[in-house]
Amino acid sequence: MSDLKQELKEKIITQLNLEDIAIEEIADNDPLFGDGLGLDSIDALELIVMLDKDYGIKLTDPKEGKKIFESIEIMANYIAAHRTK
Amino acid sequence: MEEVYINSIGSISAQKTFDNNDFLEEITTYEDNILPVIDPNYKEYIPPAAARRMAKGIKMGVVASKIALEEAGLANVDAIITGTGMGCVRDSEKFVTAILDNNEQFLTPTSFIQSTHNTVAGQIALGIGCKGYNFTYVHSSVSFESALIDAIMQLQLREAENILVGGVDESGEHTNAIHKLIQYIKPEKINTNKLLQSKTGGTVFGEGANFFVLSNIKQDSSYAQVIDVKTFNTMAKSDLVSNLEAYLKGNNLSVADIDVLISGNNGDIDYDSYYADLTNGPFKNTQQVVYKHLSGEFNTASAFGFWLGAKILKSQHIPKAIALNAIKTKGLRIVLLYNQYRGKNHSFTLLRQC
């Protein structure tokens, strides 16, 4: 699980161009949106595409994304439970 | 009709031009066929949260425009008009590559949003909160001149007081590869000092952003007056001199009135003969200046030539690196710019000391 969390942090930094943020600066329970990492709705779309492309998880309900992308911890748990690749 | 002045400038190019206090004092020479820009510290101008989704062209355009606005002492303008030949080509390449690689699946929004040609003008407007006229011209190598013509007409007719006008193009890896394949880019790497003496076809590509605040109100800091701009999509080579003479006559000028000719030579043996028709013809006794060995060729490279004309008129100085001939004229009053790319999209621009 810690490997997956590390992988997610790397992907988020690369794919969302968070060039000023280091992996160590993202704690597992930090909120990704709002006051935490400050991601926005466009980033949410990028993350939905990433789940589909890299882990075979299709999110059909956008409201679902809101819960899943709350933190790295929650995201990693969800991916571990639902991944098809 | 009102007169139109260049009140400020901002340039990001393959030379260190982002500091308006410098005028090509230090020249960077390249041994290549693609020239990158010398980057300013973008973080000094753009907050990290905004910069993370900006492609290179957007960053260059936003920063060049900020430099120009700061020099003009303006926080906002009445209109923003940009010219670009290829727009945000890097994100276009990224988006199209993703479509192909992922079999039209998994398309992410960011590169699509940033791939449009008018993104630069849009981002500048968002940054300064400009809700005025916002327009982008995509007309190959007369893109910048088209933007210029629009701004001049609005200023002459007093529809606006201050307009931010700019030309911006970024270099894209795939686009460059295609242009190498068809030899629009020279297959060989070349020392840029020797580019304009090259005996081969094609040129050296570059990128850059050159922005100006044009106004119908002259300031102490004004660089020059813009007299006129004219573009031709097609022109027979045999008509160049007569068209230019007619253009000058239309502005109550003749060849003898031109103190400096800024010529868009790019080292392509197949097309530099257009410029030679002027430099070896009616302008053989005129002081001549070239610049694409410093900037590289791109669709809005002529905006760098425009920047050069403004700097020359304000400083009354011609750096050695841009002199094409040994003629030295004292009291530089009128500058003529001529540009074309591969025999198409010709432009004449006249600037006057103010």
Coordinates of all heavy atoms in Angstrom, one line a residue, chain B residues 195-234:
Chain B
L195 N 24.8 32.2 -40.3 CA 23.5 31.9 -40.9 C 23.2 32.6 -42.2 O 22.8 32.1 -43.2 CB 22.4 32.1 -39.9 CG 21.0 31.9 -40.4 CD1 20.8 30.4 -40.8 CD2 19.9 32.3 -39.4
L196 N 23.4 33.9 -42.2 CA 23.0 34.7 -43.3 C 23.9 34.7 -44.5 O 23.6 35.2 -45.6 CB 22.8 36.2 -42.9 CG 21.8 36.4 -41.7 CD1 21.6 37.8 -41.4 CD2 20.5 35.7 -42.0
Q197 N 25.0 34.0 -44.3 CA 25.9 33.7 -45.5 C 25.7 32.3 -46.0 O 26.4 31.8 -46.9 CB 27.4 33.9 -45.1 CG 27.8 35.3 -44.8 CD 27.5 35.8 -43.4 OE1 27.7 35.1 -42.5 NE2 26.8 37.0 -43.3
S198 N 24.8 31.6 -45.4 CA 24.5 30.2 -45.8 C 24.2 30.0 -47.3 O 23.5 30.8 -47.9 CB 23.4 29.6 -44.9 OG 23.0 28.4 -45.5
K199 N 24.7 28.9 -47.8 CA 24.4 28.6 -49.3 C 23.4 27.5 -49.4 O 23.3 26.8 -50.5 CB 25.7 28.3 -50.0 CG 26.8 29.4 -49.9 CD 26.4 30.6 -50.8 CE 27.4 31.7 -50.7 NZ 26.8 33.0 -50.6
T200 N 22.7 27.1 -48.3 CA 21.8 26.0 -48.4 C 20.3 26.5 -48.2 O 20.1 27.6 -47.7 CB 22.1 24.9 -47.3 OG1 22.0 25.6 -46.1 CG2 23.5 24.4 -47.5
G201 N 19.4 25.6 -48.6 CA 18.0 26.0 -48.4 C 17.5 25.8 -46.9 O 18.2 25.2 -46.1
G202 N 16.3 26.3 -46.6 CA 15.8 26.2 -45.3 C 16.5 27.2 -44.3 O 17.3 28.0 -44.8
T203 N 16.0 27.3 -43.1 CA 16.5 28.3 -42.2 C 16.7 27.7 -40.8 O 16.6 26.4 -40.6 CB 15.6 29.5 -42.2 OG1 16.1 30.5 -41.3 CG2 14.2 29.1 -41.7
V204 N 16.9 28.5 -39.8 CA 17.0 28.1 -38.4 C 15.8 28.6 -37.7 O 15.4 29.7 -37.9 CB 18.3 28.7 -37.8 CG1 18.3 28.7 -36.3 CG2 19.5 28.0 -38.3
F205 N 15.1 27.7 -37.1 CA 13.8 28.1 -36.4 C 14.1 28.6 -35.0 O 15.1 28.3 -34.3 CB 12.8 26.9 -36.3 CG 11.9 26.8 -37.5 CD1 12.2 27.3 -38.7 CD2 10.7 26.1 -37.4 CE1 11.3 27.2 -39.8 CE2 9.8 26.0 -38.4 CZ 10.1 26.5 -39.7
G206 N 13.2 29.4 -34.5 CA 13.3 30.0 -33.2 C 11.9 30.1 -32.6 O 10.9 29.5 -33.1
E207 N 11.8 30.9 -31.5 CA 10.5 31.1 -30.8 C 10.7 32.5 -30.1 O 11.8 33.0 -30.0 CB 10.2 30.0 -29.8 CG 11.3 29.8 -28.8 CD 11.0 28.7 -27.8 OE1 9.9 28.1 -27.9 OE2 11.9 28.4 -27.0
G208 N 9.6 33.0 -29.6 CA 9.7 34.3 -28.9 C 8.4 35.0 -28.7 O 7.4 34.6 -29.2
A209 N 8.4 36.0 -27.8 CA 7.3 36.8 -27.5 C 7.7 38.3 -27.5 O 8.7 38.6 -26.8 CB 6.6 36.4 -26.2
N210 N 7.1 39.1 -28.3 CA 7.4 40.5 -28.3 C 6.2 41.3 -28.2 O 5.3 41.2 -29.1 CB 8.2 40.8 -29.6 CG 9.5 40.2 -29.7 OD1 10.5 40.7 -29.2 ND2 9.6 39.0 -30.4
F211 N 6.0 42.0 -27.1 CA 4.8 42.8 -26.8 C 5.1 44.3 -26.7 O 6.2 44.7 -26.4 CB 4.1 42.3 -25.6 CG 3.3 41.1 -25.8 CD1 3.9 39.8 -26.0 CD2 1.9 41.1 -25.9 CE1 3.1 38.7 -26.3 CE2 1.1 40.0 -26.1 CZ 1.7 38.8 -26.4
F212 N 4.1 45.1 -27.1 CA 4.2 46.5 -27.1 C 2.9 47.2 -26.6 O 1.8 46.7 -26.9 CB 4.4 47.0 -28.6 CG 5.5 46.2 -29.3 CD1 5.2 45.0 -29.9 CD2 6.8 46.6 -29.2 CE1 6.3 44.3 -30.5 CE2 7.9 45.9 -29.8 CZ 7.6 44.7 -30.5
V213 N 3.0 48.3 -25.9 CA 1.8 49.1 -25.7 C 1.8 50.2 -26.7 O 2.8 51.0 -26.8 CB 1.8 49.7 -24.2 CG1 0.7 50.7 -24.1 CG2 1.7 48.6 -23.2
L214 N 0.8 50.1 -27.6 CA 0.6 51.2 -28.6 C -0.4 52.1 -28.0 O -1.4 51.7 -27.4 CB 0.2 50.6 -29.9 CG 1.1 49.6 -30.6 CD1 0.6 49.4 -32.1 CD2 2.5 50.1 -30.7
S215 N -0.2 53.4 -28.3 CA -1.1 54.4 -27.8 C -1.2 55.6 -28.7 O -0.3 55.8 -29.5 CB -0.6 54.9 -26.4 OG -1.4 55.9 -25.9
N216 N -2.3 56.3 -28.6 CA -2.4 57.6 -29.4 C -2.0 58.8 -28.5 O -2.2 59.9 -28.9 CB -3.8 57.8 -30.0 CG -4.9 57.4 -29.1 OD1 -4.7 57.5 -27.8 ND2 -6.1 57.0 -29.6
I217 N -1.5 58.5 -27.3 CA -1.0 59.5 -26.5 C 0.5 59.3 -26.3 O 1.0 58.3 -25.8 CB -1.7 59.5 -25.1 CG1 -3.2 59.8 -25.3 CG2 -1.1 60.6 -24.2 CD1 -4.0 59.5 -24.1
K218 N 1.3 60.3 -26.7 CA 2.8 60.1 -26.6 C 3.2 60.4 -25.2 O 2.7 61.2 -24.5 CB 3.4 61.2 -27.6 CG 4.9 61.0 -27.8 CD 5.4 62.1 -28.7 CE 6.9 62.3 -28.5 NZ 7.4 63.5 -29.2
Q219 N 4.2 59.5 -24.8 CA 4.8 59.7 -23.4 C 6.2 60.1 -23.6 O 6.8 59.9 -24.7 CB 4.8 58.4 -22.7 CG 3.4 57.9 -22.4 CD 3.5 56.5 -21.6 OE1 4.5 55.8 -21.7 NE2 2.4 56.2 -20.9
D220 N 6.9 60.6 -22.5 CA 8.3 60.9 -22.6 C 9.1 59.6 -22.9 O 10.1 59.7 -23.5 CB 8.8 61.4 -21.2 CG 8.2 62.8 -20.9 OD1 7.8 63.5 -21.9 OD2 8.2 63.2 -19.8
S221 N 8.5 58.5 -22.5 CA 9.2 57.2 -22.7 C 9.0 56.6 -24.0 O 9.5 55.5 -24.3 CB 8.8 56.3 -21.6 OG 7.5 56.0 -21.6
S222 N 8.1 57.2 -24.9 CA 7.8 56.6 -26.1 C 9.0 56.3 -27.0 O 10.0 57.0 -27.0 CB 6.9 57.5 -26.9 OG 5.6 57.7 -26.3
Y223 N 8.9 55.1 -27.7 CA 10.0 54.7 -28.5 C 10.0 55.2 -29.9 O 11.0 55.6 -30.4 CB 10.0 53.1 -28.6 CG 10.5 52.5 -27.3 CD1 9.8 52.4 -26.2 CD2 11.8 51.9 -27.3 CE1 10.3 51.7 -25.1 CE2 12.3 51.3 -26.2 CZ 11.6 51.2 -25.1 OH 12.1 50.6 -24.0
A224 N 8.8 55.2 -30.5 CA 8.7 55.6 -31.9 C 7.3 55.8 -32.3 O 6.4 55.4 -31.6 CB 9.4 54.5 -32.8
Q225 N 7.1 56.4 -33.5 CA 5.7 56.5 -34.0 C 5.6 55.4 -35.1 O 6.5 55.2 -35.9 CB 5.5 57.9 -34.6 CG 4.1 58.1 -35.1 CD 4.0 59.4 -36.0 OE1 4.9 60.2 -36.0 NE2 3.0 59.4 -36.8
V226 N 4.4 54.8 -35.1 CA 4.1 53.8 -36.1 C 3.4 54.6 -37.3 O 2.3 55.1 -37.1 CB 3.2 52.7 -35.7 CG1 3.1 51.6 -36.7 CG2 3.8 52.0 -34.4
I227 N 4.1 54.6 -38.4 CA 3.5 55.4 -39.5 C 2.5 54.5 -40.3 O 1.3 55.0 -40.5 CB 4.6 55.9 -40.5 CG1 5.7 56.7 -39.8 CG2 4.0 56.7 -41.6 CD1 6.9 57.1 -40.7
D228 N 2.9 53.3 -40.7 CA 2.0 52.5 -41.5 C 2.5 51.1 -41.5 O 3.6 50.8 -41.4 CB 1.9 53.1 -42.9 CG 0.8 52.5 -43.8 OD1 -0.2 52.1 -43.2 OD2 1.0 52.5 -45.0
V229 N 1.5 50.2 -41.8 CA 1.8 48.7 -42.0 C 1.0 48.3 -43.1 O -0.2 48.6 -43.3 CB 1.4 47.9 -40.7 CG1 1.8 46.5 -40.9 CG2 2.1 48.5 -39.5
K230 N 1.6 47.5 -44.0 CA 0.9 46.9 -45.1 C 1.3 45.5 -45.3 O 2.5 45.1 -45.2 CB 1.2 47.7 -46.4 CG 0.3 47.3 -47.6 CD 0.5 48.3 -48.8 CE -0.2 47.9 -50.0 NZ -1.7 48.1 -50.0
T231 N 0.4 44.6 -45.6 CA 0.7 43.2 -45.8 C 0.2 42.7 -47.2 O -0.7 43.3 -47.8 CB 0.0 42.3 -44.8 OG1 -1.4 42.4 -44.9 CG2 0.4 42.7 -43.4
F232 N 0.9 41.7 -47.7 CA 0.6 41.1 -49.0 C 0.6 39.6 -48.8 O 1.7 39.1 -48.5 CB 1.6 41.5 -50.1 CG 1.7 42.9 -50.4 CD1 2.5 43.7 -49.5 CD2 1.2 43.5 -51.5 CE1 2.6 45.1 -49.8 CE2 1.4 44.8 -51.8 CZ 2.1 45.6 -50.9
N233 N -0.5 38.9 -49.1 CA -0.4 37.4 -48.9 C 0.5 36.9 -50.1 O 1.3 36.0 -49.8 CB -1.8 36.9 -49.0 CG -1.8 35.4 -49.0 OD1 -2.3 34.7 -50.0 ND2 -1.3 34.8 -48.0
T234 N 0.3 37.3 -51.3 CA 1.1 36.9 -52.4 C 1.7 38.1 -53.1 O 1.0 39.2 -53.1 CB 0.4 36.0 -53.4 OG1 -0.8 36.8 -53.8 CG2 -0.1 34.7 -52.8

